[in-house]
Amino acid sequence: MLYDNHGREINYLRLAVTDRCNLRCFYCMPEEGIDYLPRKELLSFEEMERLVRLLVPLGINKLRITGGEPFLRKGMLAFLERLSQIEGLTQINLTTNGTLTADIVPELKRIGIHAVNLSIDSLDEARFFQITRRDVFPQVMKTLEELLAHQITTKINAVVMPNYNLEDIIPLVNLTKDHPIAMRFIEEMPFNGKGAHEQTGLWDFPKILNYIQTHFPEFSKIPDPVSSTSFNYQVKGHQGTVGIIAAYSRLFCGSCNRIRLTPQGMLKTCLYDGGVFNVRDLMRAGATDEQLKMSFTDALAHRAKDGFEAEENRKFDRPISESMATIGG
Ligand code: SAM
Ligand code: SF4
């Protein structure tokens, strides 16, 4: 089993399969986009599969595919199919912007994708455009419809941003009334790509909670799943749930069970660290499975205790200006 130097068990791998994206959400990327990695620098599907296969016996049983936008990468469905055949992997989840996803929902269901996180920051088409800088709201809502119709566990992610989508908070909570959706509100983080946008007036966990409670007096705490990043609630009588993710306040580090691989194979043992070592380079230099496993256990033996320490330890890029599209969220 994989444990870190603070006694936390690691069972969750987040794999960002591409840094490319067809949206330009202003909290993630500047309008002109980011400098995309040359294709040969991306981990190949074979390399990613090899890594998953060697990490599963070490205790990784949960996998998230993210990006950039995962479905921009050609061959994604075949890759998901192969991953679904790996014994010991109990959950394969996806995070997507939903622009290219509606038509393939039946395939995701067939492959056995456990849950899909869909990013929807606004239910108003004009505000959605203002945030994402692309006119794709109907496609995203169609994906939501398809996910619900196919009874795939669906979570919606919304980054809470003053001046952009505060008026969406209540309508988004209301989606949980008739649908078994997990609606998650996320504190904005500074991963906006080359400093094109400054966070202003952070809406943090207490502020978001207080705002929702004011509108829904019967908003109660429900138990949080083990290692959950969200504090979870439910409006009385609603089918779905509401979570708040204190991603900037970093209130969940004590039970963090996850590691991340960036599209170019950099291991991150914390979202806020600058990358620990490049797994792709080791593999391409001929490392054996045993050597690769050792490098993961070594990295976890020196893991920062929380996101503040990880950020403090960054050698480059401080203050942070990476795009979340190069990390995967
Ligand atoms: N493109 C896909 C999507 O948008 O769902 C997957 C990748 S995206 C980087 C993963 C998640 O990170 C999204 O839910 C997005 O809202 C979130 N995210 C991106 N930048 C963020 C930021 N600066 N602060 C908080 N969350 C952010
Ligand atoms: Fe693309 Fe997702 Fe970043 Fe938006 S949040 S720009 S959809 S990677």
Side-chain angles (χ1 to χ4, degrees):
M1 294 296 126
L2 284 171
Y3 284 93
D4 72 11
N5 46 326
H6 305 282
R8 293 171 293 199
E9 187 181 341
I10 308 301
N11 67 350
Y12 179 15
L13 171 67
R14 297 176 63 101
L15 204 50
V17 296
T18 178
D19 58 344
R20 283 159 207 260
C21 194
N22 52 344
L23 303 191
R24 292 288 179 274
C25 305
F26 76 89
Y27 51 76
C28 177
M29 279 201 196
E31 183 146 26
E32 65 278 14
I34 53 173
D35 294 334
Y36 291 137
L37 292 163
R39 276 180 203 284
K40 64 179 188 322
E41 286 200 23
L42 298 179
L43 283 172
S44 67
F45 285 133
E46 291 71 23
E47 286 168 330
M48 289 190 276
E49 185 180 338
R50 179 181 173 199
L51 289 169
V52 175
R53 284 187 183 279
L54 71 85
L55 287 169
V56 167
L58 294 180
I60 295 291
N61 54 27
K62 187 175 164 188
L63 179 68
R64 174 168 304 279
I65 301 297
T66 173
E69 176 46 40
F71 293 108
L72 281 177
R73 187 142 178 191
K74 287 204 184 71
M76 263 315 296
L77 282 176
F79 178 55
L80 290 174
E81 179 109 47
R82 285 190 62 82
L83 292 175
S84 72
Q85 287 153 8
I86 299 178
E87 238 170 84
L89 205 51
T90 53
Q91 278 190 29
I92 303 176
N93 299 325
L94 289 168
T95 305
T96 173
N97 63 27
T99 54
L100 307 166
T101 324
D103 293 346
I104 56 170
V105 168
E107 275 299 280
L108 299 179
K109 178 77 179 177
R110 186 189 61 74
I111 290 169
I113 296 304
H114 179 80
V116 173
N117 289 16
L118 188 59
S119 300
I120 306 181
D121 299 310
S122 177
L123 290 175
D124 173 87
E125 192 158 0
R127 282 198 295 276
F128 184 94
F129 175 78
Q130 195 191 10
I131 293 167
T132 62
R133 302 185 179 111
R134 295 292 184 271
D135 196 5
V136 289
F137 182 70
Q139 288 94 304
V140 177
M141 293 310 284
K142 177 79 181 138
T143 295
L144 175 60
E145 217 175 274
E146 290 293 318
L147 288 169
L148 293 172
H150 287 83
Q151 296 178 335
I152 295 183
T153 301
T154 303
K155 300 181 181 183
I156 297 180
N157 289 348
V159 181
V160 177
M161 298 157 293
N163 306 326
Y164 284 91
N165 66 349
L166 297 184
E167 47 284 69
D168 287 292
I169 295 177
I170 301 307
L172 285 166
V173 172
N174 274 327
L175 280 182
T176 68
K177 185 166 190 288
D178 298 323
H179 304 292
I181 290 169
M183 181 63 231
R184 293 128 50 87
F185 295 102
I186 309 176
E187 288 179 358
E188 187 182 356
M189 295 178 271
F191 296 96
N192 48 46
K194 304 260 168 13
H197 152 72
E198 294 299 328
Q199 289 168 283
T200 44
L202 175 76
W203 265 52
D204 63 4
F205 161 60
K207 202 160 179 173
I208 299 169
L209 177 60
N210 182 45
Y211 183 80
I212 300 175
Q213 272 170 336
T214 307
H215 285 75
F216 296 98
E218 293 192 295
F219 188 63
S220 324
K221 185 82 190 75
I222 56 171
D224 300 322
V226 178
S227 295
S228 171
T229 51
S230 53
F231 295 105
N232 296 287
Y233 301 83
Q234 191 162 35
V235 179
K236 191 170 177 197
H238 282 202
Q239 281 190 44
T241 60
V242 176
I244 304 175
I245 303 183
Y248 186 64
S249 311
R250 290 160 250 191
L251 299 180
F252 44 66
C253 301
S255 62
C256 181
N257 62 342
R258 59 196 62 199
I259 53 176
R260 293 174 163 78
L261 282 169
T262 69
Q264 72 271 48
M266 185 62 83
L267 173 71
K268 274 176 169 275
T269 58
C270 173
L271 175 62
Y272 283 85
D273 73 32
V276 184
F277 73 93
N278 192 301
V279 192
R280 177 205 63 198
D281 290 349
L282 278 187
M283 282 196 286
R284 293 186 187 172
T288 63
D289 283 0
E290 281 317 304
Q291 287 167 332
L292 289 169
K293 285 181 191 173
M294 286 277 288
S295 51
F296 279 97
T297 41
D298 278 359
L300 286 167
H302 302 96
R303 193 177 186 219
K305 79 171 185 306
D306 57 29
F308 295 101
E309 187 177 301
E311 185 176 358
E312 191 69 31
N313 291 343
R314 286 172 82 98
K315 292 197 179 69
F316 312 103
D317 196 31
R318 281 184 65 198
I320 292 171
S321 67
E322 267 175 280
S323 163
M324 194 65 96
T326 65
I327 308 172

